[in-house]
Amino acid sequence: MNINGNRREFGMVLGALAATAMGVPGDTQAKAQAPDMVSREHDLSVRVKALPLIKPHALGSGAVVGLIAPGGVVDDAIIEKSVRNLESVGFAVKLGKNIRAAHGGYAGSVAQRLADLHDMFLDNEVKAIWTARGGSGCTALLPHVRYPLIRAHPKILVGYSDITALHLALYRKAGLVTFHGPAWSTFSDYSVSQMMAVLMSPRPETEINMSVENSRKAIAQSEFALRTLRHGIAEGRLIGGNLSVMSALIGTPFAAPIRNSLLFLEDVSEPPYRIDRMLTQLQQSVGELGQPDGLRLAAGVMLGVFSKVRARDGDASLTLGEVIDEQLGNLPIPTVYGYSFGHVAHQITLPIGVRARLNTAEQTLTLLEPAVRA
């Protein structure tokens, strides 16, 4: 929304309120010309209720799907493998116009990456959108995403890692259910079958057993071992993603709403001291009203497989297990480690914002509502 700086102050307040109600920030020029409006807008924004949740349509067989790269740069090998794999299960693929662009390590400029994102949501032929990879760079897009446009054209969006930033922003600012799930350049039969069940078949409940797929690897690789730090049953809306991205968003309008959520976290290639620091940051985070919003206020915490987490040779360091014990062992809520999501071949698809139940005794996660609409 553009607000003319020559309008009366009353008009500027109405404009700020309208933008806040739609989940988007007011015009920066108007704020610069009326700095007292900024604090007033903030006071009003914290009283605006969250947008009603909106779910995308279920994906049909043979649908046209879009492939974009909103974060890290992708090469032809990743694109070709993704297209080949998508076509192998019957989908037709439409590539983003700028998918081969490069700007340093990013897949084009912010404007190019935004254009592909918006174009795919506006394209009536495209029924779902997959991200070719994560990488980095998605956080730069968030202030410029056209959230009302996306809410008006809801579609399936799937990705993980750096795509966490888009998932959380679209949940908070557009009220859209998106999907933390695998990229098509690397996947397993288990990942595809579980993903398609969530995206193509709306069901009142979907139960996922979390103790099967990584059990053989756990014998040789400790990071795959299931661990329950506190038993129990927890229900809440699924919120989460990559730990590094989530910690980077704290203090922004796009931060994960932790309170009462069923929180899921994963990361890769981070030394234990950085995992420790990021979990500390989440523990100490505050919400919009300045009230504590740390991990102990979640309904439950699920950690995926934190792969390739090692201290550098010669460095004195806690182990990953010790970090998890110290950070999460005393949480008064159900807490588990080693579930099948993260930077691993066998990963489930988690719909952001959907109500779910964690049962640590049965090692199950149950989606308590359909993630898509018929």
Side-chain angles (χ1 to χ4, degrees):
M1 175 181 294
N2 290 321
I3 303 174
N4 191 307
N6 295 323
R7 292 182 183 179
R8 295 179 181 177
E9 181 176 291
F10 177 71
M12 294 172 63
V13 174
L14 289 181
L17 275 171
T20 303
M22 289 300 293
V24 296
D27 185 278
T28 54
Q29 180 183 1
K31 289 180 182 178
Q33 293 174 346
D36 59 316
M37 293 297 102
V38 179
S39 58
R40 253 184 270 181
E41 181 183 345
H42 174 75
D43 291 341
L44 292 165
S45 70
V46 296
R47 294 199 292 268
V48 175
K49 292 182 179 180
L51 288 169
L53 203 63
I54 186 169
K55 298 176 181 178
H57 285 290
L59 186 60
S61 58
V64 175
V65 300
L67 187 67
I68 62 173
V73 66
V74 296
D75 57 27
D76 284 340
I78 290 176
I79 296 170
E80 291 166 7
K81 189 174 183 181
S82 299
V83 171
R84 185 168 62 250
N85 289 337
L86 281 161
E87 290 178 344
S88 72
V89 295
F91 295 122
V93 183
K94 178 175 282 191
L95 298 180
K97 295 176 182 177
N98 299 298
I99 194 169
R100 289 184 169 87
H103 178 65
Y106 306 124
S109 65
V110 168
Q112 287 174 313
R113 288 177 280 146
L114 280 170
D116 278 4
L117 178 70
H118 293 148
D119 286 351
M120 288 298 182
F121 273 99
L122 283 171
D123 191 329
N124 291 330
E125 185 183 27
V126 172
K127 304 305 179 185
I129 305 164
W130 262 278
T131 56
R133 63 164 297 196
S136 62
C138 284
T139 54
L141 276 57
L142 305 188
H144 312 289
V145 173
R146 297 166 64 187
Y147 297 103
L149 177 153
I150 289 174
R151 184 169 175 82
H153 301 84
K155 292 181 183 179
I156 290 167
L157 174 73
V158 188
Y160 74 112
S161 193
D162 193 56
I163 310 303
T164 295
L166 279 176
H167 289 319
L168 294 175
L170 292 179
Y171 172 72
R172 293 204 58 175
K173 299 299 184 180
L176 179 64
V177 172
T178 60
F179 300 85
H180 183 280
W184 282 92
S185 56
T186 54
F187 70 94
S188 68
D189 290 341
Y190 170 80
S191 297
V192 172
S193 62
Q194 198 278 326
M195 178 168 54
M196 293 300 102
V198 172
L199 300 183
M200 302 180 78
S201 305
R203 305 179 211 174
E205 289 193 0
T206 302
E207 183 175 288
I208 306 164
N209 188 307
M210 307 298 290
S211 62
V212 178
E213 287 303 314
N214 293 315
S215 57
R216 287 179 295 176
K217 285 190 173 184
I219 297 172
Q221 301 178 58
S222 61
E223 63 262 34
F224 284 88
L226 278 167
R227 296 180 56 210
T228 300
L229 286 83
R230 183 176 291 270
H231 276 291
I233 296 174
E235 292 187 9
R237 294 199 179 275
L238 283 168
I239 297 291
N242 181 260
L243 175 60
S244 296
V245 176
M246 288 183 61
S247 63
L249 289 175
I250 290 175
T252 75
F254 315 105
I258 295 175
R259 186 184 293 262
N260 299 323
S261 70
L262 194 50
L263 189 68
F264 65 94
L265 304 168
E266 63 84 25
D267 221 315
V268 62
S269 300
E270 294 284 1
Y273 83 90
R274 285 179 54 85
I275 300 294
D276 189 43
R277 184 171 65 198
M278 291 184 286
L279 288 173
T280 298
Q281 190 176 13
L282 288 189
Q283 297 274 30
Q284 298 174 355
S285 64
V286 296
E288 288 179 313
L289 293 173
Q291 299 299 315
D293 196 27
L295 297 180
R296 64 179 49 250
L297 297 178
V301 176
M302 303 183 300
L303 302 182
V305 176
F306 280 55
S307 54
K308 303 177 184 177
V309 174
R310 299 281 187 275
R312 293 180 299 183
D313 290 344
D315 281 0
S317 175
L318 297 173
T319 65
L320 173 64
E322 288 170 335
V323 168
I324 290 171
D325 286 341
E326 291 187 6
Q327 287 283 357
L328 308 179
N330 292 322
L331 290 181
I333 54 176
T335 307
V336 291
Y337 170 87
Y339 276 11
S340 295
F341 61 89
H343 288 70
V344 292
H346 302 304
Q347 60 171 296
I348 63 170
T349 295
L350 296 165
I352 306 290
V354 164
R355 292 182 300 108
R357 179 193 303 121
L358 166 67
N359 186 322
T360 65
E362 297 180 2
Q363 297 290 8
T364 57
L365 177 70
T366 303
L367 306 182
L368 299 176
E369 59 181 305
V372 291
R373 51 191 168 128

